[in-house]
Amino acid sequence: MDVIQVTFEVFETSKVLNIQIELRVYVIGAQEHEEALFPRFVNFRKSNHLIMGIKKFNDTIDIWIEELTRFNIGQLQTKPDDRSWSLGQLYQHLIEETSWYNDQILMTLGNEKNIEKETSDSAKILLDRGSFENKRFQGDPLISENIKQPTNKAQLKSELERLKKNTNVIWVKMTGTSKYGKSEHPGIGFLNCFEWIQYSEMHMRHHLKQKKRIEKFLESIK
């Protein structure tokens, strides 16, 4: 008898509960039989998404929440130039995008829709690297104007905290379901729920570099 031991991290009311689950598989010669019985589970276990996903997400969104206290509403609304976002627009973008990622995750839970879709090579490279490429993209002034400026710093903070709470609730659902499908990212193809969580955190972390550039500009005009 072989024992497969997995640690799940479940976040409830800001407390981390480490739950160890043992799957007992009666096998003669082990690993191949395990993968035959639990192919998708083993894939998630090996990928590390299951264990680290929500912790890294919480660590990164906490940076954004804590850093918000350093700026007043005037600073949050100041744009370096016509093609750039203000810091407040950057916060709005993160809230909107991460909320959309959460919607995609919910679409994948409790069903096996699109499960046969292969992860694209570009998605594999991105997720294996664990971060976006260090590139800057020239902004479009029309896109910049389509992101609303914040009018209230307290509201931004409240939306970020609600986003964190909602994501952790979704995480509990993810670890409690027995069926996982996939949904399509318009740029890199089909992702499962654990890959969406990883992508979501990577996206927020990538924009920390943009945040630093905007901060540098704000310092220069004091």
Side-chain angles (χ1 to χ4, degrees):
M1 181 181 69
D2 283 0
V3 177
I4 308 166
Q5 194 172 68
V6 182
T7 300
F8 288 90
E9 289 183 346
V10 182
F11 287 70
E12 293 182 308
T13 61
S14 301
K15 294 181 180 179
V16 181
L17 305 176
N18 289 319
I19 303 173
Q20 290 193 330
I21 298 177
E22 291 186 353
L23 300 177
R24 298 182 181 274
V25 185
Y26 295 87
V27 299
I28 301 173
Q31 184 91 10
E32 292 182 5
H33 202 72
E34 173 194 331
E35 296 198 7
L37 288 172
F38 306 103
R40 283 182 291 118
F41 178 81
V42 171
N43 181 54
F44 291 152
R45 178 170 62 85
K46 287 180 177 178
S47 69
N48 235 5
H49 302 151
L50 191 58
I51 297 174
M52 293 303 296
I54 197 62
K55 183 181 186 305
K56 292 183 73 172
F57 177 91
N58 284 334
D59 288 346
T60 302
I61 198 171
D62 281 344
I63 293 172
W64 286 98
I65 294 171
E66 291 164 9
E67 286 287 295
L68 185 59
T69 62
R70 297 176 49 221
F71 306 99
N72 59 46
I73 190 63
Q75 291 172 314
L76 289 169
Q77 293 174 336
T78 301
K79 297 172 59 172
D81 55 64
D82 288 341
R83 289 181 173 271
S84 300
W85 287 339
S86 68
L87 195 54
Q89 285 176 303
L90 180 54
Y91 270 94
Q92 297 276 42
H93 167 72
L94 291 175
I95 291 167
E96 291 174 9
E97 285 295 296
T98 308
S99 297
W100 186 80
Y101 300 154
N102 282 350
D103 289 341
Q104 295 303 304
I105 292 171
L106 290 172
M107 288 172 58
T108 71
L109 301 182
N111 64 77
E112 295 185 344
K113 186 176 180 180
N114 299 315
I115 194 62
E116 76 286 354
K117 303 289 187 180
E118 292 290 334
T119 304
S120 69
D121 290 340
S122 59
K124 289 177 183 177
I125 292 170
L126 177 65
L127 296 171
D128 286 346
R129 186 171 61 234
S131 62
F132 288 10
E133 289 187 88
N134 190 21
K135 289 183 178 180
R136 288 185 62 178
F137 299 95
Q138 184 64 50
D140 184 327
L142 294 177
I143 294 176
S144 175
E145 290 303 320
N146 285 335
I147 302 293
K148 294 180 181 179
Q149 288 276 25
T151 57
N152 188 304
K153 188 173 85 167
Q155 182 178 352
L156 272 184
K157 184 173 185 289
S158 176
E159 289 179 358
L160 282 169
E161 290 172 340
R162 182 165 59 250
L163 180 61
K164 178 184 176 182
K165 180 180 178 180
N166 289 344
T167 306
N168 279 268
V169 169
I170 290 171
W171 177 261
V172 174
K173 292 180 181 178
M174 286 167 55
T175 59
T177 190
S178 60
K179 292 183 179 180
Y180 304 95
K182 293 183 179 182
S183 64
E184 188 172 13
H185 184 285
I188 60 174
F190 287 89
L191 303 175
N192 63 48
C193 56
F194 300 103
E195 290 166 339
W196 274 113
I197 283 284
Q198 183 185 5
Y199 184 90
S200 183
E201 185 278 328
M202 288 165 52
H203 176 252
M204 285 194 298
R205 179 160 34 93
H206 178 73
H207 277 294
L208 288 172
K209 298 173 184 177
Q210 183 178 1
K211 174 180 167 296
K212 288 183 178 179
R213 292 194 294 268
I214 300 173
E215 285 181 49
K216 187 175 181 179
F217 167 77
L218 293 174
E219 286 291 326
S220 71
I221 62 173
K222 277 186 176 180

